[in-house]
Amino acid sequence: MEPEAFEATIAAWRNSTLKTKDTAAIFLVVKEAQHVFNGYGAQETSDMLFSAFIHPRMPAYLVCSDEKLWGRFHEAVIRYQSGRIDLLETDKRIRHVSGKKAFYFNQGAHKHFLK
């Protein structure tokens, strides 16, 4: 049910963008269209567009009107969302980066960085 609902929503969004010939930057349009791209902030939008090889300032209308660009965009949205779900799997969770404790503070890091 959910994949079908998403496909219907993104198709309606695309049709609306084509109809209005929205020339706003795709980055801004994705970030603001929370009814379609729920949870996408600046970082998420940037990452997703980068993975699709789409410049963030490209007009939304051009992304939606060109079949090749639309295909890359649509695939990147699906791939990005699937990747977020994968992070929830126990064996794929992000490991502690700085130490064994979740809130470990590496007090000497700045000394190494400054050298």
Side-chain angles (χ1 to χ4, degrees):
M1 175 66 184
E2 190 172 332
E4 293 85 7
F6 173 74
E7 287 299 332
T9 303
I10 199 167
W13 172 80
R14 181 185 186 196
N15 289 336
S16 172
T17 302
L18 290 171
K19 188 176 183 177
T20 61
K21 296 188 179 185
D22 190 350
T23 59
I26 189 70
F27 172 82
L28 296 174
V29 174
V30 168
K31 236 176 44 130
E32 292 170 7
Q34 289 296 300
H35 67 289
V36 181
F37 308 99
N38 187 25
Y40 276 61
Q43 184 68 51
E44 294 80 11
T45 304
S46 295
D47 290 346
M48 184 274 295
L49 291 172
F50 179 79
S51 75
F53 301 110
I54 294 175
H55 195 284
R57 290 180 49 195
M58 181 172 283
Y61 175 76
L62 291 179
V63 173
C64 293
S65 64
D66 183 274
E67 289 302 321
K68 234 180 197 179
L69 283 174
W70 174 253
R72 287 196 337 235
F73 176 82
H74 184 268
E75 182 182 328
V77 169
I78 301 296
R79 191 174 53 243
Y80 189 81
Q81 291 297 62
S82 297
R84 304 295 65 92
I85 293 169
D86 288 345
L87 291 175
L88 299 174
E89 292 182 21
T90 307
D91 59 331
K92 293 184 181 180
R93 287 190 183 158
I94 298 173
R95 305 290 183 239
H96 303 300
V97 179
S98 298
K100 293 181 181 179
K101 297 180 181 176
F103 296 101
Y104 176 79
F105 180 73
N106 188 349
Q107 295 177 345
H110 64 284
K111 292 177 186 173
H112 301 294
F113 176 75
L114 294 175
K115 291 180 182 177

